[in-house]
Amino acid sequence: MLHFQYIEYLLAFAAIPVIILLFMLVTRWKKKAAKKIGDPVLVKQLTANYSSKKFSFKFVLFSLAFALCIVAVAGLVIPDGKQKVNRKGIDLMFALDVSKSMLAQDIKPNRLERAKQVITNIINNSPDDRIGLVVFAGRAYLQMPMTIDHAAARMYLSSASPDDIPTQGTVISQALKMSGAAFNPKDKTYKAIILLSDGEDHDKDALKVVKQLTGDGIMINTIGIGSAQGAPIADPETNSYKIDEKGDVVISKLNEQELSNIAAKGNGIYEHYTTTQSVVSGIKNKLAGIGETVITDKSFDSYRQFFQYFLAAAFIFLIIEFFISEKKKISKKVTVASLSLLLMFNYSFAQDTKNAILKGNDAYKNNDFDKAEVYYGDAQKMDEKNTTASYNIGNVFYRKEKTDEAVNAFDNTITNSKENSIKQKAFYNKGVSYQKANKLPECILAYKNALLLNPADEDARQNLERALMEQKKQDNKKDKKDKDEKNNKDKKQDEDKKDQQKNEAQPKPQPSRISKQDAEEKLKSLLEKEKALQDKLHKIKGEGINKPDKDW
């Protein structure tokens, strides 16, 4: 529907009556000035080449140009659908168990890391599939809604941990419900859920939920992570193994029977983790059998703009007004040539900008981000305030992992756009870019700004909660580190103080009070006494001991 984007600017039409009033006052002043000169005949001769009609015509052109500028600024647009991305694939939702039992190390390094590795490999082998992620323990949370942005999916997957879920346990039924709710029932696509868990279920409703989901045409596959013998659960908080109420070490075992039943009821397959490659191959072969269809994803609202036509018309009227003289005789050829040239230039300029954006869109759809960057850059050079070009090039920079450039592009979109919906999307993408770069304070601020413009944006709200939770974890780690450093510093100070006190308790050698001359005399006396003693000993030895005849 044709409408104005910035209807408040139409209030500027109130200035037109003021302009008309000023024109009338000027005309009246001219007539009075002519009468003051004197003889009417003389005045008529002096103003013979003056045309009052042309003066009035110039005013009309100026007024029309002013009105057209108001309409251009108000932004007359018509919805032009959305930029669309066509793909061929299925909708795939991962339900990942992040309970503490997944920290058991019967599969090295632990069950959770191996489960993440499996999901990453499936994503890498599913370029056309739309991906979503649910994490669960004692409760289930939608970590990431359905998206074709696989880089974002891997980012969310890497950050999943038991700390994300305050309530521990393993409620598979809630995870399956949340996964099913994440699918869009209006999309005519093939849908599948892949559940990765050790199967230590603490509720009895899983099979009931499976029946409901299969009734909606959703396939459920399960992957068992763990061993039947089981293993103790590492507890990071105590740096030891988890114990039960009796004080015994808890042994977590894989519940293959439940996971196998869920897969059988869900028209899927059960895979026991042995190696990543074998599990991924089995799942992909099963998914390949459910078929594929062409899917269209809507990515960004777009409008057909008409402001350039109003500006072009206003510019033409102003040029005509400029070249029209108030004299009766003017050069018509000069006026016509100038107007034609300016009209062609303006039209060509607008068309070049639009064509550059369209070419950039085609390159983006084909994942040729380097070429898309060039086209969007050309559009920005021609029109620095074009919000479509700045928004799209921001998405290109995000895909190329150029966080700073992406943020700058989204900032330009926010600055130049007057429409809150576009600003909100730019703030959201800005937050995603910062989150990918692990700049949490900036990320949190961007998501908050997005929610201020659109409080109903559930994706922004969930991303904000995850960013706040991650920020809290980092703050706790920093506080713990600072506390440890302070304790070590205090301990060192205590040790240094004890050493100082110990040294003070030991008697210090007193300086000698005897003179150098007295010391030398006493030493000489001692040496003489020692010599006399040695002579006496030798004399006694020589008299009392008989030497042997032979000493060999």
Side-chain angles (χ1 to χ4, degrees):
M1 181 179 177
L2 200 64
H3 67 280
F4 289 100
Q5 283 184 299
Y6 317 111
I7 195 169
E8 62 272 15
Y9 291 130
L10 295 178
L11 294 174
F13 276 114
I16 292 180
V18 178
I19 296 173
I20 294 174
L21 179 61
L22 291 174
F23 171 75
M24 294 173 65
L25 291 174
V26 170
T27 303
R28 185 179 178 183
W29 173 79
K30 283 188 174 183
K31 291 179 179 179
K32 287 183 177 181
K35 289 180 180 180
K36 289 180 180 180
I37 293 176
D39 189 1
V41 177
L42 178 60
V43 172
K44 186 176 182 181
Q45 290 177 351
L46 292 173
T47 60
N49 199 31
Y50 172 76
S51 174
S52 60
K53 292 182 179 179
K54 288 185 176 180
F55 177 75
S56 300
F57 183 60
K58 284 168 64 72
F59 169 75
V60 171
L61 290 175
F62 175 82
S63 300
L64 287 173
F66 181 79
L68 290 170
C69 287
I70 294 174
V71 175
V73 171
L76 187 66
V77 297
I78 188 172
D80 193 23
K82 294 177 179 283
Q83 295 180 11
K84 298 179 179 179
V85 179
N86 292 328
R87 66 183 180 85
K88 189 177 182 182
I90 64 175
D91 284 354
L92 191 57
M93 179 62 69
F94 292 97
L96 175 62
D97 185 353
V98 294
S99 60
K100 289 186 177 180
S101 63
M102 291 292 285
L103 298 178
Q105 298 178 359
D106 47 357
I107 298 178
K108 299 295 184 181
N110 58 50
R111 298 174 182 177
L112 182 58
E113 290 303 318
R114 284 301 183 185
K116 289 182 180 181
Q117 188 181 74
V118 170
I119 296 176
T120 300
N121 274 268
I122 294 176
I123 292 175
N124 294 339
N125 286 278
S126 309
D128 296 322
D129 294 342
R130 189 161 52 178
I131 304 298
L133 176 64
V134 167
V135 294
F136 69 96
R139 291 185 63 185
Y141 294 91
L142 181 63
Q143 183 86 342
M144 185 189 69
M146 284 292 175
T147 180
I148 57 172
D149 190 346
H150 289 186
R154 285 187 285 268
M155 179 187 72
Y156 284 118
L157 175 65
S158 64
S159 64
S161 73
D163 295 334
D164 295 339
I165 312 297
T167 306
Q168 284 300 306
T170 309
V171 285
I172 291 177
S173 62
Q174 282 193 23
L176 294 175
K177 283 183 182 178
M178 184 69 71
S179 300
F183 294 113
N184 187 348
K186 295 181 180 179
D187 288 343
K188 304 301 180 183
T189 60
Y190 294 101
K191 304 175 179 67
I193 296 173
I194 299 179
L195 173 71
L196 298 95
S197 174
D198 51 24
E200 286 201 340
D201 198 357
H202 295 280
D203 68 44
K204 306 299 180 182
D205 298 328
L207 294 179
K208 295 179 182 179
V209 177
V210 170
K211 185 177 180 180
Q212 295 173 0
L213 294 176
T214 53
D216 295 332
I218 300 173
M219 174 193 286
I220 302 172
N221 301 282
T222 59
I223 300 175
I225 309 292
S227 62
Q229 296 78 18
I233 303 172
D235 190 347
E237 295 180 359
T238 60
N239 292 324
S240 61
Y241 293 121
K242 190 170 183 61
I243 59 176
D244 58 19
E245 296 177 352
K246 298 179 180 179
D248 298 329
V249 176
V250 176
I251 302 297
S252 173
K253 299 180 180 180
L254 172 65
N255 187 353
E256 281 194 284
Q257 185 61 46
E258 180 169 6
L259 294 174
S260 180
N261 290 340
I262 291 173
K265 296 286 184 180
N267 298 326
I269 61 169
Y270 166 73
E271 289 282 342
H272 176 221
Y273 181 87
T274 51
T275 65
T276 300
Q277 190 58 44
S278 64
V279 173
V280 172
S281 297
I283 292 293
K284 288 301 295 180
N285 290 336
K286 183 63 177 179
L287 295 177
I290 68 174
E292 295 179 337
T293 186
V294 175
I295 304 165
T296 298
D297 281 319
K298 297 177 180 179
S299 58
F300 181 67
D301 291 326
S302 62
Y303 297 91
R304 184 182 177 188
Q305 305 277 352
F306 296 98
F307 73 92
Q308 63 270 24
Y309 303 110
F310 293 100
L311 285 179
F315 188 72
I316 292 171
F317 286 145
L318 290 174
I319 293 298
I320 293 174
E321 190 274 338
F322 178 80
F323 280 99
I324 290 179
S325 173
E326 294 180 13
K327 296 179 180 181
K328 291 182 178 180
K329 295 181 180 180
I330 60 171
S331 175
K332 295 182 179 179
K333 291 183 178 180
V334 174
T335 302
V336 172
S338 301
L339 291 175
S340 300
L341 180 62
L342 290 169
L343 178 62
M344 292 174 61
F345 173 78
N346 186 69
Y347 180 77
S348 175
F349 178 82
Q351 286 297 109
D352 288 344
T353 303
K354 184 176 181 180
N355 289 336
I357 292 176
L358 291 175
K359 290 179 180 178
N361 292 345
D362 291 337
Y364 186 91
K365 293 174 185 177
N366 294 326
N367 294 327
D368 191 348
F369 301 125
D370 291 333
K371 188 178 291 185
E373 181 182 349
V374 172
Y375 285 128
Y376 292 142
D378 291 341
Q380 283 189 308
K381 291 177 182 177
M382 290 182 279
D383 184 1
E384 294 181 355
K385 295 186 177 182
N386 190 300
T387 56
T388 302
S390 60
Y391 181 89
N392 288 358
I393 201 171
N395 291 335
V396 169
F397 286 138
Y398 170 78
R399 289 299 190 92
K400 296 178 73 173
E401 298 185 355
K402 296 181 178 180
T403 303
D404 293 337
E405 291 87 343
V407 168
N408 289 335
F410 294 133
D411 283 338
N412 289 336
T413 304
I414 294 165
T415 301
N416 296 323
S417 177
K418 302 297 182 182
E419 188 174 352
N420 285 342
S421 62
I422 294 178
K423 284 185 176 182
Q424 190 270 337
K425 291 176 181 178
F427 272 123
Y428 177 83
N429 284 9
K430 182 179 175 181
V432 173
S433 300
Y434 274 133
Q435 194 165 14
K436 187 175 183 179
N438 201 29
K439 296 182 178 181
L440 294 178
E442 296 88 345
C443 160
I444 290 169
L445 179 60
Y447 285 140
K448 286 181 178 179
N449 286 327
L451 286 170
L452 285 175
L453 293 172
N454 181 13
D457 189 342
E458 191 61 28
D459 291 343
R461 189 179 304 282
Q462 291 178 2
N463 286 357
L464 175 60
E465 290 177 356
R466 280 189 288 271
L468 288 170
M469 189 177 298
E470 184 65 25
Q471 180 68 44
K472 185 177 180 181
K473 287 196 293 185
Q474 291 187 6
D475 291 342
N476 290 339
K477 289 180 180 179
K478 184 176 182 300
D479 292 342
K480 186 176 182 301
K481 183 179 178 182
D482 293 341
K483 186 177 180 180
D484 291 342
E485 290 178 353
K486 185 177 183 302
N487 291 337
N488 291 335
K489 184 178 179 181
D490 293 342
K491 184 177 180 181
K492 187 176 184 304
Q493 289 178 348
D494 292 341
E495 291 176 352
D496 292 342
K497 188 175 180 181
K498 289 179 180 178
D499 292 341
Q500 184 178 357
Q501 292 174 348
K502 183 178 180 181
N503 292 332
E504 290 176 353
Q506 293 178 354
K508 296 181 179 178
Q510 298 295 324
S512 176
R513 296 181 180 178
I514 190 171
S515 65
K516 182 178 179 181
Q517 185 177 356
D518 292 340
E520 290 177 350
E521 291 179 354
K522 286 187 176 184
L523 180 61
K524 184 177 179 181
S525 176
L526 289 172
L527 291 174
E528 289 176 353
K529 289 180 179 180
E530 183 180 359
K531 182 178 179 182
L533 181 61
Q534 290 292 336
D535 291 341
K536 185 176 181 180
L537 289 174
H538 283 302
K539 185 177 180 180
I540 295 172
K541 184 178 179 181
E543 293 176 353
I545 300 176
N546 295 323
K547 293 184 180 180
D549 295 336
K550 295 181 180 180
D551 58 3
W552 65 87

